[in-house]
């Protein structure tokens, strides 16, 4: 399957992390992506999963309300689709149709969605929701127990947001910067 993610507006520069997760995953692996926006990174991951021939499932979790900047008409990041409560969700759903056999969209807040996963049930979790310190800390605390021993917890915007950097550095000893992102390999005894 050919890539189409570049046709979707958004931010995505962590293909190396997704490639690593897919390459090292076994059949039956479960992945979660927190924060979808319009589906650019999920589109990339979906194509890579399909092309791998592995039976990997990716759940994409987002509330699809955007951030405060996206809802503020005075902001340079204003997104008109946030004026319609279904706007971002509908666009993301449309954008991800070609990879729907590998990607499932879950419309929920991260803290509500995490309750539906058993501890140590996920091979890979990528955090790219809210970028403030408290939200990132909450995501790390909530999602790390869901990752299997020796699985991967990673996220975006380590270099772009001080809150992300402080949260990762304070919560995850051994997390490594990787481009604009970060990656953490869960130990066996966590």
């Amino acid at each position: 399957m050919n890539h189409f993610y570049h046709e979707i507006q958004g931010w995505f520069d962590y293909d190396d992390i997704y490639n690593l997760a897919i390459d090292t995953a076994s059949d039956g692996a479960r992945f979660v992506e927190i924060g979808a926006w319009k589906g650019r990174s999920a589109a990339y991951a979906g194509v890579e999963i399909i092309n791998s021939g592995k039976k990997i499932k990716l759940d994409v979790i987002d509330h699809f309300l955007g951030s405060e900047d996206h809802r503020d008409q005075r902001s340079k990041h204003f997104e008109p689709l946030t004026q319609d409560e279904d706007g971002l969700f509908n666009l993301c759903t449309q954008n991800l149709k070609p990879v729907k056999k590998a990607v499932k969209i879950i419309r929920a807040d991260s803290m509500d969605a995490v309750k539906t996963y058993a501890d140590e049930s996920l091979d890979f979790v990528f955090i790219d929701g809210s970028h403030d310190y408290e939200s990132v800390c909450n995501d790390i605390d909530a999602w790390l127990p869901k990752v299997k021993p020796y699985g991967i917890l990673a996220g975006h915007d380590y270099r772009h947001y001080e809150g992300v950097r402080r949260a990762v550095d304070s919560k995850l000893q051994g997390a490594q910067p990787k481009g604009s992102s970060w990656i953490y390999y869960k130990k066996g005894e966590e």
Side-chain angles (χ1 to χ4, degrees):
M1 173 178 234
N2 291 325
H3 277 290
F4 61 93
Y5 73 95
H6 54 276
E7 299 169 14
I8 301 170
Q9 189 271 331
W11 307 268
F12 176 61
D13 60 359
Y14 38 91
D15 54 313
D16 54 341
I17 294 176
Y18 276 30
N19 291 342
L20 173 70
I22 293 164
D23 290 347
T24 59
S26 302
D27 269 346
R30 295 281 311 270
F31 291 2
V32 168
E33 177 184 82
I34 310 300
W37 189 236
K38 296 178 183 178
R40 185 176 183 141
S41 56
Y44 178 87
V47 169
E48 288 295 311
I49 289 168
I50 290 167
N51 289 347
S52 78
K54 296 177 181 179
K55 293 179 176 108
I56 299 170
K57 292 295 181 189
L58 169 62
D59 292 345
V60 177
I61 299 167
D62 200 310
H63 52 52
F64 294 101
L65 301 174
S67 67
E68 286 182 35
D69 264 3
H70 300 134
R71 294 186 295 275
D72 183 351
Q73 293 186 18
R74 298 165 296 167
S75 168
K76 68 178 183 173
H77 299 293
F78 171 68
E79 173 55 63
L81 285 172
T82 60
Q83 302 303 292
D84 171 4
E85 71 179 39
D86 294 325
L88 284 171
F89 173 75
N90 290 338
L91 180 59
C92 185
T93 300
Q94 183 65 34
N95 287 341
L96 294 178
K97 273 188 180 177
V99 292
K100 68 181 179 183
K101 77 177 193 179
V103 178
K104 177 182 176 185
I105 300 171
I106 299 172
R107 189 175 189 176
D109 180 84
S110 172
M111 292 299 107
D112 293 329
V114 74
K115 298 171 190 169
T116 66
Y117 294 88
D119 285 353
E120 299 184 351
S121 64
L122 302 172
D123 299 88
F124 174 69
V125 174
F126 193 86
I127 298 172
D128 191 19
S130 296
H131 298 97
D132 62 279
Y133 174 78
E134 184 178 345
S135 295
V136 178
C137 284
N138 290 341
D139 275 336
I140 290 170
D141 287 343
W143 288 97
L144 183 60
K146 307 305 176 181
V147 177
K148 293 177 181 177
Y150 309 105
I152 299 171
L153 181 70
H156 194 220
D157 291 313
Y158 183 83
R159 299 213 190 276
H160 300 137
Y161 289 90
E162 184 198 343
V164 173
R165 189 170 43 258
R166 283 191 318 118
V168 171
D169 290 348
S170 69
K171 292 287 180 178
L172 299 171
Q173 295 225 264
Q176 305 163 8
K178 192 159 180 65
S180 65
S181 300
W182 57 272
I183 188 165
Y184 178 77
Y185 299 92
K186 186 173 178 180
K187 296 169 185 63
E189 65 276 355
E190 281 182 70

